[in-house]
Amino acid sequence: MSIAQVKISNGTYRNNPVNGIFELAQEWKKGAKGGFVTVISDGSLEGSTKGKKTRVNVAQKNIEVIGEIAGTFHQPNGETKVEDTPLYVETDEETIDRITTTFAYIEKLAAAAQKNQITGLIISGPAGVGKSYGVEKVLERLNFQHLVAQDNKEKYEIITGGTSAIGLYKKLWENRQEGRVLVFDDCDSALYDELMINMLKAAMDTKKKRKLCWMKESMVLEKEDIPPSFLFEGSIVFLTNLKFDRAPRKIAPHLEAIMSRVHYLDLCLDTRREQLLRVKQVVDAGMLDKHNLSKKTKDDVVNYVYDNVDYLNELSLRTVLKVADLAMVDENNWREPSDFTVLSHRGRMQKLADERRAAKEAEAK
């Protein structure tokens, strides 16, 4: 795996000047007494231990990141995979532009699914970045147009959470007509069940006729008058936290088969930096407008998330909204309640330890 590095000019460590290139451990942050970047000491920093994480005080303008800290992917089965440093490192502006374009394609592709122009769409990205919102927004709009113009029947259904194989078969039956869209949100467990994943492969196939079969006897299907086979002519949108191209070995062949049948949109929000820039993008677009906060408080809310990224229970848009909720309750006292609601217990303890360590270093200067 490539190692991200940072070139530092005019930095300081324990009042000693720091200039050079170091292995990057954590990106630049703004602290209570100025900015700092965390590096792996190479032993040249007086008073530091070689191989240990070390904070170097430095202005953001005096650092140059060479490469990017690799992203970590947490798979639903608990496995962890790490992405290598990219060949090209985007600027923040380039990343935000790329994110904006990618999320615009969510709406375009969801609209194409509703029009039956595409029969299968997989959208992959971490939790809490707005996948569901983008799909639901466009389907609600198209559904409203349909309700007004035609038969007063809903044209899409969203399934959230787990389902059984027979439950999946029933939902596919209920949404079998052309123009219907069946959305699976947070249903990754279906990808680990061979029967369910085979049904999804059949339903999202590129064939003109997609036939689904239930070869077992079922009192449930008989009672509800659902046939043992039918043609599926609807479309499927599957929202997932799993990266299909980095899947666990056990299910990788199945996911490769699905990818060959569908449109696969990877949001590429795999590093904390990308996720933080997504937060900034959505806030700048007006996500917090309904909170009736001053611009300074909105900026403070975003900075709070940036400053505490290492301590959060979850880095997501939901976290920003939670902190903004507390700021709306009491615009003068929201940071402490935020520490107890959006930081993990381990995170709070680590934050306290880091603050005490920084205070001791400041006293020693």
Side-chain angles (χ1 to χ4, degrees), residues 59-241:
Q60 190 173 22
K61 66 180 181 180
N62 291 333
I63 67 169
E64 178 186 351
V65 176
I66 306 170
E68 183 180 39
I69 297 178
T72 300
F73 304 94
H74 300 288
Q75 304 289 3
N77 66 348
E79 292 184 11
T80 299
K81 293 181 178 291
V82 178
E83 181 189 57
D84 290 337
T85 303
L87 296 176
Y88 176 75
V89 179
E90 299 172 313
T91 64
D92 286 357
E93 292 74 17
E94 288 173 328
T95 300
I96 289 176
D97 286 345
R98 185 249 299 167
I99 292 170
T100 301
T101 300
T102 305
F103 274 82
Y105 276 115
I106 289 181
E107 297 187 21
K108 291 179 181 179
L109 292 172
Q114 198 278 332
K115 297 172 184 176
N116 212 233
Q117 293 169 333
I118 62 176
T119 57
L121 170 62
I122 305 289
I123 301 175
S124 171
V129 297
K131 301 190 299 292
S132 306
Y133 175 77
V135 169
E136 192 167 355
K137 181 173 70 172
V138 69
L139 292 180
E140 280 183 350
R141 184 176 70 246
L142 293 171
N143 185 64
F144 176 77
Q145 294 171 355
H146 175 83
L147 291 175
V148 171
Q150 297 185 38
D151 56 11
N152 201 37
K153 291 183 180 178
E154 297 283 352
K155 296 291 288 183
Y156 73 97
E157 183 175 0
I158 299 177
I159 309 299
T160 303
T163 184
S164 64
I166 196 166
L168 174 60
Y169 186 84
K170 288 171 58 180
K171 285 302 177 184
L172 291 168
W173 162 258
E174 293 168 4
N175 293 275
R176 67 192 181 279
Q177 295 92 351
E178 183 177 336
R180 294 281 304 176
V181 183
L182 185 56
V183 181
F184 293 94
D185 187 7
D186 195 23
C187 294
D188 286 358
S189 59
L191 302 176
Y192 290 84
D193 183 286
E194 189 168 356
L195 183 54
M196 284 194 279
I197 204 168
N198 284 332
M199 273 194 278
L200 289 171
K201 282 192 286 186
M204 292 191 285
D205 209 329
T206 54
K207 296 177 182 177
K208 188 173 182 179
K209 291 186 176 181
R210 291 166 283 157
K211 186 175 183 179
L212 298 179
C213 302
W214 186 267
M215 304 306 294
K216 302 177 182 179
E217 291 186 8
S218 172
M219 295 293 293
V220 173
L221 298 184
E222 290 180 14
K223 183 178 179 180
E224 299 187 25
D225 199 25
I226 299 176
S229 65
F230 62 91
L231 291 178
F232 182 78
E233 297 178 319
S235 298
I236 292 176
V237 178
F238 200 99
L239 309 176
T240 178
N241 302 336

